[in-house]
Amino acid sequence: MSQVLHPIEHKLLKSLLEKQNLTPEELCEKTQLSIDQVRRGIEWLKFKNLVQVTESEKNFVALGKMGNEAFDRGLPERQLVNYLKSLYGFSCEISEAKNQLRNEFNPAIANAKKNGWIEIYENRILLRGYHDTTPEERIIKSIASKNPAVASLDEIDDKSTLSSLKKRPEFLTFTSTKYVTVNLTEKGIETAKNVSSHTTSLTVDPIVGERAIDVEAPTPTVFAARSHPLQDVINEVREIFIGLGFTEVVGNLVQTSFWNFDALFTPQDHPAREMQDTFYIRNLHAKTIATKNQISNVAQTHKKGWRYDWKLDEAKRLVLRTHTTCVTIQTLADTKPDEARIFSIGRVFRNEKVSYKHLVEFNQVEGVVIGKNVTLRDLMGLQKEFYLKMGMKKVKFWPTFFPYTEPSLQSMVYNEKLGKWVELFGMGIFRSEVTKPLGIKNPVLAWGGGIERIAMLKYGLDDVRELYNNNLGWLRNVPKCQ
């Protein structure tokens, strides 16, 4: 079947036949079409192998703050030379030059000596030699003379001098611009010549005129709306815990330091409570944080256990919660149940450096079981059941340390793709220093961990940031059922 061309394509082909290597913006001017029409027409022609689209990048250089000062006042070494020329005997004490040039004294001395313009003798600076315009000055003048004051890197031949200027702080700034150009293919040239010979085709208005329809053209792909894969994991975790007889509790993202730290027996001078590890709400303190009895009991526990003067003002500081344990422990303190299974899922915040395995904010699930006869073996059994429902069959536990549980364990899950054991949830039994001050009598099994790490294992990712980079190709193709 012969190809059917739209009037928009006619105009683009004719313009490209007259002149190749045009940008979409240049095609707008030549064809009097809108930029959207041009882009649409280019895609049509590209699909029919009539045009070739080339992506290019052009790099530019402009003067920075110090570069502009150098253009107005001269480079530091030029300022030094001009100052010496203004003096009797063309020399001065080093201290005089320091006062004159201030912050630019060191680079002025270094570069002036390098150029052979000065000598230093017995604590004096002496002017010497010729003081011709330097390559650095010529580049600065060349960039500043343009309107706007931006030069293409292709225009600058002296790359070594440019590299030297680049080492000077704030002298130059570099930018790049990406653009596309459109050219006719051999097939496109033949088609364009045929189009040009039928001028009647070009008189049809591209908006309201007759439109040819290619009935063999592929239909556009439609992507149905769906939930984010990470949200799917969160919903799956929630469903599993509810299926195991747990009740969900929710809490605020902003918590007091009392419930986030103090109630969990974390001392007020602990490194985790510093600004480099935690996000605090600046200059804000809560008016009420707990009952008088709870505050008094926690304060006495800290004084006895950590041997320091516990401060109420520190406990009133507001913080973006670093874990969801603050929600579950507050629920237990308020309700004091003899038996209960509760869990909490929510976003938490850590002031950490973002990497392939760490985020500043992430989702965490936290669960507790309280009962008269619950043991660490019960906790291990619950964890194995949870991991099995998540499709993780190989599980083992390592003894470890956590500030508010004793004994404490670290759960490990074997990843078949990585061929190694991966750390997941931390777990243990709440210490008596946590439960007794809040009036909780029975043992409390507790565990928690990041949901993003489970999602990484589930989807075979090796970088946690891939969950948040909005890669539509990946998001649309992740299977709903793993």
Side-chain angles (χ1 to χ4, degrees):
M1 174 183 173
S2 61
Q3 288 185 335
V4 180
L5 297 177
H6 191 280
I8 290 177
E9 295 174 296
H10 286 192
K11 286 197 171 187
L12 294 177
L13 287 172
K14 183 181 178 183
S15 298
L16 289 169
L17 186 62
E18 295 173 358
K19 185 180 180 181
Q20 293 264 40
N21 203 38
L22 295 176
T23 66
E25 290 74 19
E26 291 171 332
L27 282 169
C28 285
E29 294 181 10
K30 289 181 67 67
T31 61
Q32 299 301 307
L33 298 172
S34 70
I35 187 64
D36 289 333
Q37 289 174 312
V38 169
R39 288 172 178 161
R40 191 181 308 122
I42 290 173
E43 289 301 315
W44 293 339
L45 293 172
K46 183 180 175 183
F47 177 77
K48 296 171 182 175
N49 196 29
L50 298 179
V51 299
Q52 182 179 11
V53 179
T54 305
E55 294 186 2
S56 304
E57 185 175 16
K58 199 166 187 178
N59 298 307
F60 300 91
V61 59
L63 297 180
K65 177 184 176 183
M66 300 303 297
N68 283 311
E69 288 186 12
F71 176 70
D72 294 334
R73 299 166 49 199
L75 289 168
E77 56 266 31
R78 180 64 64 184
Q79 294 179 44
L80 176 60
V81 167
N82 291 339
Y83 177 65
L84 293 173
K85 285 182 178 179
S86 68
L87 300 175
Y88 177 77
F90 303 136
S91 67
C92 71
E93 297 285 339
I94 290 180
S95 58
E96 294 178 32
K98 273 188 178 180
N99 292 333
Q100 179 69 22
L101 296 171
R102 298 184 181 276
N103 294 335
E104 297 178 340
F105 172 76
N106 288 333
I109 290 291
N111 288 293
K113 287 183 68 177
K114 178 183 174 183
N115 294 340
W117 291 353
I118 63 169
E119 288 183 5
I120 298 178
Y121 181 73
E122 292 186 353
N123 209 35
R124 291 188 67 83
I125 304 173
L126 311 176
L127 188 62
R128 292 287 186 268
Y130 297 97
H131 319 116
D132 297 332
T133 302
T134 64
E136 288 87 351
E137 290 173 321
R138 283 195 288 271
I139 287 181
I140 290 175
K141 184 177 180 181
S142 173
I143 296 173
S145 64
K146 297 183 179 296
N147 187 18
V150 179
S152 169
L153 288 185
D154 298 334
E155 301 173 11
I156 300 176
D157 297 326
D158 192 351
K159 293 295 190 291
S160 61
T161 301
L162 185 68
S163 178
S164 175
L165 269 177
K166 187 178 179 181
K167 295 177 182 177
R168 298 196 185 197
E170 299 185 75
F171 265 72
L172 300 176
T173 59
F174 294 86
T175 56
S176 63
T177 301
K178 292 183 178 180
Y179 62 96
V180 299
T181 54
V182 185
N183 293 288
L184 291 174
T185 61
E186 291 185 8
K187 182 180 177 182
I189 293 173
E190 293 179 9
T191 305
K193 289 178 179 178
N194 292 332
V195 168
S196 298
S197 64
H198 297 81
T199 56
T200 54
S201 298
L202 300 177
T203 60
V204 181
D205 186 272
I207 301 299
V208 299
E210 296 179 3
R211 299 189 180 208
I213 299 175
D214 185 355
V215 295
E216 292 186 355
T219 58
T221 304
V222 177
F223 297 97
R226 58 169 295 176
S227 56
H228 193 283
L230 180 59
Q231 187 61 48
D232 291 340
V233 175
I234 293 173
N235 293 340
E236 185 178 0
V237 169
R238 178 180 283 113
E239 185 176 342
I240 289 173
F241 276 114
I242 291 175
L244 291 172
F246 285 76
T247 301
E248 184 176 5
V249 294
V250 296
N252 295 327
L253 297 180
V254 177
Q255 293 282 339
T256 62
S257 293
F258 179 84
W259 290 111
N260 198 79
F261 295 119
D262 296 273
L264 297 171
F265 199 53
T266 304
Q268 293 184 334
D269 59 354
H270 194 281
R273 298 178 67 150
E274 298 297 326
M275 287 294 292
Q276 63 264 28
D277 292 312
T278 307
F279 293 107
Y280 286 97
I281 308 301
R282 182 181 297 173
N283 299 328
L284 284 180
H285 292 70
K287 293 182 179 179
T288 58
I289 57 176
T291 65
K292 290 183 179 180
N293 190 44
Q294 289 171 339
I295 295 172
S296 175
N297 290 344
V298 169
Q300 290 301 320
T301 302
H302 276 250
K303 291 176 182 178
K304 181 180 179 181
W306 297 119
R307 300 180 184 277
Y308 74 100
D309 291 330
W310 186 85
K311 297 178 181 178
L312 179 61
D313 285 342
E314 182 66 26
K316 289 183 177 181
R317 295 181 69 185
L318 295 179
V319 60
L320 292 179
R321 66 185 186 189
T322 59
H323 45 65
T324 53
T325 314
C326 53
V327 178
T328 53
I329 192 64
Q330 190 170 358
T331 301
L332 293 179
D334 292 341
T335 59
K336 297 181 179 61
D338 292 329
E339 294 184 354
R341 293 187 176 197
I342 62 175
F343 76 100
S344 178
I345 296 180
R347 183 147 292 204
V348 298
F349 306 84
R350 305 277 177 86
N351 193 0
E352 297 187 16
K353 183 179 180 180
V354 176
S355 68
Y356 72 96
K357 62 179 180 179
H358 290 113
L359 294 173
V360 173
E361 53 181 294
F362 57 94
N363 293 279
Q364 187 183 63
V365 60
E366 163 86 16
V368 298
V369 173
I370 181 171
K372 185 176 181 181
N373 299 313
V374 293
T375 65
L376 194 64
R377 184 176 292 277
D378 296 320
L379 180 55
M380 295 164 67
L382 274 170
Q383 292 296 289
K384 282 191 173 183
E385 183 68 17
F386 170 78
Y387 288 133
L388 184 62
K389 290 181 180 292
M390 290 295 297
M392 305 171 190
K393 299 178 181 179
K394 293 183 179 180
V395 184
K396 65 180 179 180
F397 303 96
W398 287 80
T400 187
F401 169 78
F402 293 112
Y404 42 87
T405 58
E406 179 61 37
S408 302
L409 295 176
Q410 177 72 58
S411 61
M412 311 282 288
V413 176
Y414 189 77
N415 185 295
E416 299 289 349
K417 292 182 179 179
L418 297 177
K420 65 179 183 180
W421 292 91
V422 179
E423 294 181 8
L424 280 183
F425 289 180
M427 51 193 284
I429 301 178
F430 275 154
R431 297 174 58 158
S432 59
E433 291 90 346
V434 174
T435 56
K436 285 185 178 180
L438 301 176
I440 303 169
K441 298 178 181 178
N442 289 333
V444 179
L445 312 180
W447 68 93
I451 295 181
E452 276 80 354
R453 186 162 291 187
I454 296 178
M456 289 174 67
L457 293 174
K458 197 173 186 66
Y459 299 128
L461 303 178
D462 55 11
D463 191 327
V464 68
R465 291 168 293 191
E466 293 182 37
L467 291 168
Y468 292 95
N469 67 5
N470 294 329
N471 182 344
L472 291 180
W474 179 77
L475 292 172
R476 287 168 174 166
N477 290 286
V478 174
K480 292 287 288 185
C481 298
Q482 294 292 309

